[in-house]
Amino acid sequence: MNPTLLRPHAEQLFAGELAALRAADTLPVPPSWSMSPNAVVRYLLGGETVEGVEITPKYIGPRRLMEVAVATLATDRALLLLGVPGTAKTWVSEHLAAAVTGDSTLLVQGTAGTVEEAVRYGWNYARLIAEGPSEQALVPSPIMTAMRDGKIARLEELTRIPSEVQDALITVLSEKTLPIPELGTEVQATQGFNVIATANDRDRGVNDLSSALRRRFNTVVLPLPASLDDEVEIVTRRVADISGSLQLPEVPTSADEIRRVVTVFRELRSGLTADGRNKLKQPSGTLSTAEAISVVTQGIAMSAHFGDGVLRPADTAAGIVGAVVKDPVNDGVVWLEYLEAVVRERDGWADFYRASRDVLNS
Ligand SMILES: Nc1ncnc2c1ncn2[C@@H]1O[C@H](COP(=O)(O)OP(=O)(O)O)[C@@H](O)[C@H]1O
Ligand SMILES: [Mg+2]
């Protein structure tokens, strides 16, 4: 028996949707793409039934952004998804690659320790020493593989990569070639090759992109969810997906509980209560949508295993406090003020107020 994968790739998980969209696609398909740009956008936004298969929404937000992102991939410029943490940059990048070329796995994770080999190529040292430099001793990077096969390479957290390593990308993106001086050859990109990079707004200045590199990218900024309803929908959908794949016991999630988590996050993030009446101090954390998803998922696990099987304020309070209070001194003050000035006064929030006080006193 095959063990169930904890996290299948998008092209595995949504194989049925992708196949239906391909089958129904009548529009022109760019070279090496598996479907038309229009079908890729429909895959991302979902909300329709194609060939009897329901296309689920992956990205919830402005359609225009997805159109620009997909159109960019069909040009000779690379795509840079920029935004604060938790705005679905990685998520959109994976789904784009899955829909465009059916392969989201050609991935380079950018860190301060990313070396040139991760962007160009490395060597199998045993073979290199035994046989000298040869095609067989060469270890291609995901980017080199994508160039060869006309696929999409994904580069996560581009601005964390040291500048000199970033520079190695310039030839790749402008000349579409990767020279291999040791073999006196080069790898030339084939049609369909492109790069999707992601970068964090908050990291600005860590290893800022050189203007030479920036010019090779078309930037799409992914915004925070525009409205409370949008964000509630994102959290509700993702929590259902995640608890399904984790096979958490069914917990009736009261929509009110999710709405409360999202409301607390949005109010503290913006420094203003939803009715616009009270100014609030802002905590140091980002309080992203992604964190709201984790708080609710954790709440469901708590409720299923230690609670009464219904998502209650007591199940989410600890998670909310944990997300808000990153720095016990300053954030602690922010949270206490919010609790006393807003939560305590609000209709229907008495249970949540009590549960939050309990967390502080425990
Ligand atoms: N607008 C959105 N539409 C759909 N999912 C979203 C949206 N914003 C955030 N998410 C969810 O938030 C989670 C984290 O997103 P991620 O791509 O890791 O963020 P980032 O890379 O921007 O830090 C994902 O599970 C994603 O589904
Ligand atoms: Mg990310």
Side-chain angles (χ1 to χ4, degrees):
M1 196 188 77
N2 283 333
T4 310
L5 297 177
L6 189 52
R7 190 190 180 290
H9 300 301
E11 59 272 27
Q12 299 173 315
L13 204 52
F14 297 97
E17 293 188 20
L18 291 167
L21 283 162
R22 274 197 299 269
D25 202 5
T26 52
L27 295 166
V29 177
S32 291
W33 283 38
S34 68
M35 60 179 78
S36 65
N38 182 274
V40 175
V41 170
R42 285 163 65 199
Y43 168 74
L44 287 167
L45 294 175
E48 57 176 322
T49 302
V50 176
E51 308 248 306
V53 178
E54 190 201 337
I55 311 297
T56 54
K58 283 80 190 181
Y59 181 71
I60 297 166
R63 169 178 214 103
R64 191 82 198 140
L65 291 181
M66 294 301 111
E67 290 175 350
V68 174
V70 174
T72 299
L73 292 175
T75 70
D76 61 347
R77 281 170 98 204
L79 172 65
L80 175 62
L81 299 173
L82 195 69
V84 296
T87 43
K89 301 180 294 296
T90 302
W91 176 250
V92 167
S93 148
E94 178 182 358
H95 284 287
L96 275 172
V100 170
T101 62
D103 185 355
S104 65
T105 63
L106 296 169
L107 173 71
V108 176
Q109 180 64 51
T111 67
T114 302
V115 290
E116 244 186 66
E117 281 80 0
V119 175
R120 291 155 57 89
Y121 53 89
W123 297 98
N124 173 334
Y125 287 106
R127 289 195 91 145
L128 184 67
I129 290 167
E131 304 163 11
S134 69
E135 196 70 50
Q136 289 71 41
L138 188 124
V139 180
S141 70
I143 292 182
M144 184 181 253
T145 304
M147 291 173 78
R148 237 179 217 155
D149 301 347
K151 293 213 162 142
I152 298 222
R154 295 170 51 207
L155 232 168
E156 282 288 313
E157 307 289 1
L158 178 60
T159 46
R160 295 204 185 147
I161 300 179
S163 317
E164 64 275 16
V165 180
Q166 287 182 14
D167 285 347
L169 272 175
I170 295 177
T171 343
V172 168
L173 294 181
S174 59
E175 311 296 325
K176 313 289 184 208
T177 179
L178 195 49
I180 312 172
E182 294 91 337
L183 301 181
T185 59
E186 61 179 357
V187 169
Q188 284 180 287
T190 58
Q191 281 194 318
F193 167 70
N194 213 332
V195 172
I196 305 174
T198 66
N200 194 324
D201 256 355
R202 294 237 170 149
D203 281 351
R204 194 172 285 156
V206 174
N207 289 305
D208 228 352
L209 296 188
S210 68
S211 60
L213 188 54
R214 190 172 277 274
R215 260 188 291 126
R216 304 305 191 283
F217 282 102
N218 194 17
T219 304
V220 171
V221 178
L222 296 187
L224 285 162
S227 67
L228 176 68
D229 286 343
D230 279 0
E231 195 161 357
V232 168
E233 189 190 339
I234 296 169
V235 173
T236 307
R237 274 189 180 281
R238 290 296 295 145
V239 165
D241 291 349
I242 294 168
S243 30
S245 71
L246 293 177
Q247 300 195 11
L248 290 177
E250 288 280 335
V251 165
T253 39
S254 104
D256 292 347
E257 243 10 269
I258 293 186
R259 185 162 285 268
R260 175 162 25 233
V261 173
V262 174
T263 302
V264 170
F265 274 41
R266 287 183 75 86
E267 290 187 325
L268 287 171
R269 206 194 277 150
S270 63
L272 203 63
T273 50
D275 59 14
R277 279 211 226 126
N278 295 341
K279 276 209 159 151
L280 304 165
K281 288 203 183 105
Q282 288 161 282
S284 60
T286 41
L287 295 178
S288 66
T289 314
E291 281 174 285
I293 294 169
S294 307
V295 166
V296 176
T297 311
Q298 165 78 15
I300 289 176
M302 292 290 285
S303 162
H305 298 301
F306 305 110
D308 64 357
V310 177
L311 189 64
R312 307 232 181 246
D315 301 314
T316 53
I320 293 179
V321 176
V324 176
V325 184
K326 293 281 194 279
D327 149 21
V329 183
N330 295 323
D331 294 338
V333 173
V334 172
W335 177 244
L336 211 56
E337 274 193 28
Y338 180 72
L339 210 52
E340 294 304 323
V342 179
V343 176
R344 190 184 162 105
E345 307 299 327
R346 200 166 268 169
D347 278 349
W349 282 39
D351 284 350
F352 177 60
Y353 175 76
R354 235 170 287 122
S356 303
R357 294 279 354 174
D358 287 347
V359 173
L360 291 183
N361 297 335
S362 62

